[in-house]
Amino acid sequence: MAFKLNGSPLAVDVAFKTSDGTQYPANWLRLSTADEKTALGITEVADDPVYDSRFYWGNGTAKALDDVNATDENGDLIKNEDGSQMVIQGVKSVLKAQEKVTAGSLLARYDWYVVRKAEKSTAIPTAISTYRDGVRTACTTRETEIDNCADTAALVTLYGSTEQSDKTWKPNMTQYPDDPNS
């Protein structure tokens, strides 16, 4: 909750002064009762909502899910320097690109096994091969899950978790495999 005095915001844990010159300590808002605040003319106002910036603009408007051709203020298509159509990536494309980066990062720590095999014909341990295959499969599955979302609410749900009967939380999205060496 936020507080206002005579229409001006009051920061919690910051000393303040009323219009009659009375100084109040920084902890006063935390320690005072609702009646004490009301007596001074302090009102509580709801905090502005915070939206997940992956899916929403700062004002709560959902971002476009799909890619769109860029246009100018007249509605004319905007071209790149090479003459190709400029495209504004939608949320789905951005999230799928992030999945590729994540998968690449997970695979990179074991790339040396692949290089060693190519250079020295030394076998890649089964646990590492299985893990690398699992990372690629999980990435592809996650991209498909993203593509299958029909609207922003579905994407928000996909990136969330669901409480299980045993009171634990399970992610809604396919998870990457556990690292074999951790």
Side-chain angles (χ1 to χ4, degrees):
M1 280 292 175
F3 299 99
K4 287 191 173 187
L5 175 61
N6 300 325
S8 298
L10 288 176
V12 177
D13 295 329
V14 176
F16 66 96
K17 191 184 320 185
T18 59
S19 60
D20 68 1
T22 306
Q23 183 77 31
Y24 290 86
N27 63 351
W28 192 87
L29 287 173
R30 288 195 187 278
L31 300 177
S32 61
T33 66
D35 289 338
E36 290 170 324
K37 290 180 187 99
T38 301
L40 281 181
I42 295 173
T43 56
E44 283 190 45
V45 293
D47 291 328
D48 289 335
V50 177
Y51 301 97
D52 189 328
S53 63
R54 293 175 296 180
F55 312 113
Y56 299 99
W57 297 108
N59 65 1
T61 304
K63 293 180 178 180
L65 293 182
D66 299 313
D67 297 349
V68 294
N69 289 333
T71 58
D72 63 18
E73 60 277 351
N74 297 322
D76 298 325
L77 295 175
I78 299 174
K79 302 289 185 185
N80 291 315
E81 288 182 17
D82 66 0
S84 63
Q85 175 60 48
M86 182 180 287
V87 176
I88 300 171
Q89 286 191 323
V91 173
K92 288 182 180 182
S93 290
V94 171
L95 292 174
K96 291 189 298 184
Q98 290 172 350
E99 290 303 328
K100 289 183 187 324
V101 169
T102 299
S105 175
L106 294 172
L107 292 170
R109 64 182 75 149
Y110 294 111
D111 282 352
W112 69 272
Y113 282 106
V114 177
V115 173
R116 183 180 71 174
K117 172 142 176 73
E119 290 179 354
K120 300 291 184 180
S121 298
T122 303
I124 299 171
T126 303
I128 300 301
S129 286
T130 301
Y131 171 74
R132 289 174 61 86
D133 290 342
V135 167
R136 286 187 285 271
T137 300
C139 181
T140 301
T141 302
R142 289 168 73 101
E143 289 179 31
T144 301
E145 291 169 344
I146 291 166
D147 276 333
N148 289 341
C149 290
D151 56 26
T152 301
L155 268 176
V156 170
T157 299
L158 178 64
Y159 274 80
S161 300
T162 304
E163 187 173 11
Q164 306 300 298
S165 59
D166 64 355
K167 302 296 180 197
T168 60
W169 289 85
K170 179 183 176 222
N172 297 330
M173 182 180 260
T174 298
Q175 297 300 290
Y176 286 101
D178 292 330
D179 187 318
N181 290 330
S182 58

